[in-house]
């Protein structure tokens, strides 16, 4: 049988070394959303979903190696796989290059395949010694390379969407499973790496509501999880699919919940009540900027929309772009104020970044403003821009970006407070909704109960008087909904104290970068006494144990 090792790039991440930069943290929230929120920052690692999707959908024996060290990677490649697949994004170019060198040195018979967004770097074949490059969608591409039947149905991974999820240092079990209905987006906003990478079109893996519903049931049976992190650029855009999913859920009395990405035009078109019924509890929305330069945001009142979403118990991540070409020293301040004024649960600020082969990149390259002399490790959008801006020097951008995150924190308080508020708000308001919402209301109430023990530490650690006031008010709202704290709540609350304290001390000492654990998952691969059955999915400290075969 053909064998393949599918690996993410090696760590450590988020440190200044020969291969990376300290700003490049392997976490979504702490990297680019709650990064200036100290101990209130949400800390989550996500496994490399794409690699698991590939491994599930080929016939070859495969191993997915996530977050290895160089040493661990070398140990693994010495097993002489037929192929070694390396997945990388642009800022990890040097890591991918180093890994390819290691394969040539330690496993000269293995063929090297490069995949992921980094492959759009110009002349990548000349820059990294390799045998094959997949410059877009990977499942169908890999099946073709291996001479397999390309259009057979997709076998979706059944795995948790996160590892090492912590709130204020307190580990939480994996709350959601990953669901990948498709990749790409036809909107082709000029800066958008994903849309361009997948050739400005949507490639579905799950075509119908029936398929998605059946998969949700299967994942639930396999992992016990009923919440899904939906990796799809614009899940609700394919309305018929979503409507059918809701129909089937309601018919079967299933209360699944979904965290999704969606553009404003789509949200307006399906409406917030539909989303609430479907069980959307988290929404990532690209606001991009105050000025309406993107078609998807035409005529949208974001303040009102976000208020309505939060009233329905849907927490919102609003994403904004800084250092757009039209930004001046004054207008960028207005932009930041605008993003802060939206009062979303979470705000992402990202620097405008011309990433390879986007329309934005091509335009800057053409007019000579792209700074191709800046190493790719610094093309990540959380420090200095890598193009010449008419109104900003590169050295000025980190402080402005940091200031934006700080302003959001100071004005709106910790995102965790906002999230907890949205949940209690949703639970309260759902009481006014028709009966169809009752089960949703109960879910939100359960979530409030689950969150409650941590409220004490919100009050204790709130860094400013206004945040303390915010925490006290939150506590009041929870008491109003749930009644007075029980002895069990208090016991739980005091039980987590050492963990919160440990985090606070680490934060004070500046130890804020956490490395994800190395994870390996075997698929159809006979090794260490394990046999041909599919043994994917995660087990990890604090994560529901789904299979004994994955080692962390
Ligand atoms: C989850 C995610 C993360 C996770 C990564 C977790 C992990 N284990 O690696 C976190 C949150 C940590 C993260 C961090 C960052 N990310 Co990120 N991330 C994503 C996100 C949202 C989803 C990726 C995903 O799972 N997609 C679904 C799967 C199915 O698609 P896929 O991974 O692309 O894989 C498919 C193909 O690419 C291909 N493929 C991929 N690998 C391979 C390998 C082989 C061998 C083959 C054949 C094929 C193949 O096949 C797959 C199936 O079609 C994407 C945006 C997006 N919507 O895709 C951004 C994205 C990949 N991230 C990006 C960036 C820039 C970053 C950061 C630098 C932060 C930032 N400034 O945005 C940091 C870097 C962290 C680091 N130290 O490396 C960019 C990459 C842009 C580029 N051109 O390089 C993206 C596209 C977002 C964007 N800005 O547009 N990220
Ligand atoms: S709508 Fe979102 S995912 Fe689609 S192209 Fe625009 S930014 Fe990208």
């Amino acid at each position: 049988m053909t064998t393949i090792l599918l690996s993410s790039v090696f760590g450590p991440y988020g440190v200044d070394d020969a291969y990376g930069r300290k700003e490049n943290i392997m976490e979504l929230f702490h990297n680019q959303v709650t990064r200036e929120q100290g101990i209130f920052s949400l800390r989550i690692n996500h496994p490399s979903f794409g690699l698991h999707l590939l491994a599930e959908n080929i016939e070859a024996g495969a191993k997915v190696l996530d977050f290895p060290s160089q040493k661990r990677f070398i140990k693994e490649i010495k097993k002489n796989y037929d192929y070694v697949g390396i997945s990388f994004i642009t800022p990890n170019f040097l890591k991918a290059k180093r890994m390819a060198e290691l394969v040539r040195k330690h496993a000269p018979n293995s063929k090297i395949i490069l995949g992921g967004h980094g492959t759009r770097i110009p002349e990548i074949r000349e820059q990294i010694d390799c045998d094959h490059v997949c410059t877009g969608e990977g499942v169908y591409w890999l099946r073709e390379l291996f001479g397999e039947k390309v259009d057979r149905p997709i076998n979706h991974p059944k795995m948790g969407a996160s590892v090492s999820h912590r709130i204020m240092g307190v580990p939480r079990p994996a709350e959601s499973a990953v669901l990948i209905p498709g990749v790409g987006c036809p909107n082709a906003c000029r800066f958008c790496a994903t849309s361009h990478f997948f050739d400005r079109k949507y490639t579905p893996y799950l075509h119908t509501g029936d398929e998605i519903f059946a998969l949700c049931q299967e994942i639930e049976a396999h992992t016990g999880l009923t919440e899904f992190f939906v990796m799809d650029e614009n899940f609700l855009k394919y309305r018929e699919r979503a409507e059918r999913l809701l129909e089937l859920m309601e018919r079967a009395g299933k209360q699944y919940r979904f965290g999704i990405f969606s553009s404003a035009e789509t949200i307006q078109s399906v409406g917030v009540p539909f989303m609430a019924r479907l069980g959307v509890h988290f929404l990532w929305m690209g606001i991009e900027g105050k000025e309406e330069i993107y078609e998807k945001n035409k005529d949208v009142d974001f303040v009102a929309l976000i208020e309505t979403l939060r009233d329905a118990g849907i927490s919102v991540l609003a994403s904004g772009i800084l250092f757009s070409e039209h930004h001046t020293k004054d207008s960028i301040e207005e932009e930041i104020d605008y993003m802060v004024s939206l009062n979303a649960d979470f705000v992402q600020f990202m620097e405008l970044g011309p990433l390879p082969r986007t329309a934005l990149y091509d335009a800057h390259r053409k007019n000579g403003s792209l700074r191709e002399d800046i190493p790719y490790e610094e093309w990540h959008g959380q420090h200095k821009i890598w193009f010449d801006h008419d109104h900003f020097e590169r050295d000025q951008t980190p402080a402005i970006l940091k200031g934006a995150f700080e302003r959001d924190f100071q004005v709106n308080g910790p995102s965790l407070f906002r999230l907890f508020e949205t949940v209690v708000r949703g639970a309260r308001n759902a009481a006014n909704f028709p009966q169809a919402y009752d089960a949703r209301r109960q879910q939100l109430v359960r979530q409030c109960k689950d969150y409650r023990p941590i409220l004490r530490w919100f009050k204790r650690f709130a860094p400013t008087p206004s945040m303390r006031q915010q925490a006290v008010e939150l506590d009041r709202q929870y008491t109003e909904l749930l009644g007075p704290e029980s002895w069990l709540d208090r016991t739980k609350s005091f039980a987590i104290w050492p963990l919160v304290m440990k985090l606070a001390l680490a934060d004070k000492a500046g130890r804020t970068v956490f490395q994800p654990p190395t994870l390996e998952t075997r698929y159809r691969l006979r090794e260490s006494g394990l046999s041909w059955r599919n043994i994917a999915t995660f087990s990890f400290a604090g994560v529901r144990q789904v299979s004994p075969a994955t080692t962390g």
Side-chain angles (χ1 to χ4, degrees):
M1 181 177 59
T2 306
T3 56
I4 180 167
L5 173 70
L6 291 163
S7 184
S8 67
V9 295
F10 58 82
Y13 315 96
V15 295
D16 280 332
D17 64 12
Y19 305 100
R21 295 290 180 270
K22 67 178 185 317
E23 293 82 19
N24 227 348
I25 295 166
M26 191 50 98
E27 290 179 59
L28 168 64
F29 288 93
H30 197 61
N31 185 52
Q32 61 217 52
V33 182
T34 52
R35 58 170 250 191
E36 301 300 332
Q37 301 191 9
I39 61 168
F40 297 104
S41 181
L42 209 52
R43 307 301 301 259
I44 308 179
N45 293 118
H46 297 281
S48 300
F49 307 129
L51 294 182
H52 291 274
L53 184 69
L54 294 173
E56 278 283 11
N57 284 286
I58 49 176
E59 286 160 8
K63 179 182 280 187
V64 171
L65 187 61
D66 229 345
F67 315 126
S69 61
Q70 279 199 71
K71 203 169 147 204
R72 179 74 187 74
F73 179 71
I74 294 169
K75 189 172 163 213
E76 196 59 44
I77 54 177
K78 282 184 172 168
K79 292 176 185 165
N80 283 319
Y81 289 84
D82 297 316
Y83 294 87
V84 177
I86 303 167
S87 180
F88 73 108
I89 61 173
T90 308
N92 292 330
F93 165 76
L94 276 188
K95 293 194 176 193
K97 190 172 165 67
R98 170 74 179 150
M99 288 166 85
E101 287 163 5
L102 291 172
V103 177
R104 291 291 189 241
K105 180 171 170 199
H106 297 285
N109 295 327
S110 300
K111 291 209 165 10
I112 299 173
I113 312 176
L114 301 180
H117 287 256
T119 59
R120 289 288 169 113
I121 290 174
E123 287 94 40
I124 195 69
R125 279 170 191 277
E126 283 77 61
Q127 301 212 50
I128 299 183
D129 183 12
C130 63
D131 300 287
H132 305 277
V133 182
C134 169
T135 57
E137 195 290 317
V139 172
Y140 301 120
W141 184 93
L142 203 52
R143 283 176 175 174
E144 186 147 3
L145 180 77
F146 289 166
E148 298 178 13
K149 193 169 179 318
V150 174
D151 58 359
R152 68 177 198 276
I154 292 291
N155 190 20
H156 195 286
K158 293 156 198 75
M159 57 188 270
S162 61
V163 285
S164 56
H165 181 168
R166 275 151 296 165
I167 289 185
M168 284 186 86
V170 183
R172 294 186 62 79
E175 287 169 353
S176 39
V178 67
L179 195 69
I180 311 172
V183 290
C185 173
N187 283 11
C189 301
R190 67 190 188 115
F191 64 85
C192 181
T194 23
S195 181
H196 289 83
F197 180 70
F198 293 106
D199 297 329
R200 304 165 194 219
K201 65 175 196 288
Y202 181 64
T203 303
Y205 293 128
L206 303 168
H207 297 80
T208 62
D210 297 69
E211 275 181 77
I212 296 183
F213 182 64
L215 178 61
C216 291
Q217 287 182 301
E218 240 184 278
I219 293 178
E220 181 187 0
H222 199 82
T223 65
L225 297 169
T226 54
E227 194 173 297
F228 300 90
F229 176 53
V230 184
M231 269 309 321
D232 188 299
E233 297 296 346
N234 214 339
F235 179 57
L236 300 177
K237 196 173 174 81
Y238 308 93
R239 192 173 172 158
E240 224 174 274
R241 192 174 64 177
E243 282 173 351
R244 176 70 179 153
L245 172 62
L246 176 60
E247 188 189 326
L248 292 170
M249 277 166 48
E250 292 192 335
R251 199 183 295 164
K254 279 287 177 195
Q255 301 294 328
Y256 293 133
R257 284 168 34 108
F258 303 95
I260 63 165
F261 296 76
S262 198
S263 62
E265 45 152 21
T266 308
I267 296 164
Q268 306 262 57
S269 125
V270 298
V272 176
F274 173 81
M275 292 167 70
R277 266 175 72 192
L278 184 63
V280 174
H281 68 96
F282 172 83
L283 168 73
W284 177 304
M285 182 165 53
I287 314 286
E288 321 308 0
K290 194 177 170 192
E291 279 187 34
E292 251 179 41
I293 45 179
Y294 299 99
E295 198 52 35
K296 63 178 179 176
N297 292 340
K298 217 165 176 331
D299 301 326
V300 180
D301 177 350
F302 280 110
V303 176
L305 180 60
I306 290 174
E307 181 82 1
T308 314
L309 286 159
R310 295 188 67 196
D311 276 344
I314 300 173
S315 59
V316 180
L317 190 156
S319 173
I321 299 177
L322 298 183
F323 309 105
S324 291
E325 290 97 334
H326 67 271
H327 281 152
T328 63
K329 297 243 159 52
D330 289 333
S331 73
I332 203 160
E333 295 303 321
E334 287 168 25
E335 191 75 273
I336 296 167
D337 283 341
Y338 174 70
M339 289 302 298
V340 170
S341 76
L342 298 175
N343 195 15
D345 303 67
F346 301 93
V347 180
Q348 166 176 273
F349 289 106
M350 189 55 82
E351 293 171 337
L352 183 72
L355 284 161
R357 304 333 306 193
T358 55
L360 180 74
Y361 172 93
D362 290 343
H364 279 281
R365 206 174 190 211
K366 199 166 160 207
N367 73 19
S369 50
L370 186 70
R371 291 289 303 272
E372 294 183 78
D373 57 317
I374 311 284
Y376 287 127
E377 302 87 89
E378 295 175 15
W379 293 34
H380 51 66
Q382 286 298 316
H383 194 52
K384 293 182 187 176
I385 55 173
W386 61 95
F387 64 97
D388 291 327
H389 197 291
D390 286 347
H391 302 283
F392 300 95
E393 297 299 324
R394 285 187 71 236
D395 286 347
Q396 295 172 324
T397 61
I400 295 172
L401 179 66
K402 186 169 190 285
F405 285 110
E406 286 168 347
R407 198 177 311 168
D408 176 56
F409 182 49
Q410 291 303 329
V411 174
N412 293 319
S415 286
L416 275 179
F417 291 14
R418 298 178 239 169
L419 167 70
F420 279 36
E421 201 223 320
T422 300
V423 176
V424 75
R425 216 156 120 182
R428 228 179 23 228
N429 292 339
N432 309 325
F433 291 158
Q435 239 193 335
Y437 291 87
D438 198 51
R440 292 283 171 225
R441 193 187 77 81
Q442 285 169 23
Q443 271 175 337
L444 289 161
V445 170
R446 272 201 299 278
Q447 205 176 343
C448 289
K449 285 186 183 156
D450 179 33
Y451 283 165
R452 195 168 198 190
I454 212 133
L455 284 176
R456 177 185 309 276
W457 309 119
F458 280 3
K459 287 188 282 183
R460 164 71 182 75
F461 285 96
T464 66
S466 73
M467 290 182 203
R468 211 160 304 129
Q469 188 48 43
Q470 203 181 353
V472 169
E473 170 55 20
L474 203 52
D475 195 25
R476 190 195 63 73
Q477 290 181 31
Y478 273 65
T479 305
E480 195 178 286
L481 182 82
L482 304 174
E485 248 188 328
S486 66
W487 68 266
L488 187 63
D489 291 329
R490 271 198 295 277
T491 309
K492 281 186 191 163
S493 186
F494 285 111
I496 60 179
W497 160 248
L499 297 167
V500 181
M501 206 50 215
K502 189 175 162 211
L503 177 71
L505 291 172
D507 188 70
K508 208 163 181 189
R511 292 194 308 273
T512 56
V513 178
F514 307 145
Q515 299 299 332
T518 303
L519 299 163
E520 64 167 69
T521 315
R522 287 173 285 261
Y523 292 80
R524 302 165 300 278
L525 202 62
R526 196 188 292 271
E527 196 181 351
S528 317
L530 294 164
S531 64
W532 293 76
R533 77 200 167 84
N534 179 342
I535 46 178
T537 57
F538 281 75
S539 65
F540 178 69
V543 174
R544 219 173 285 237
Q545 180 87 20
V546 226
S547 150
T550 302
T551 52

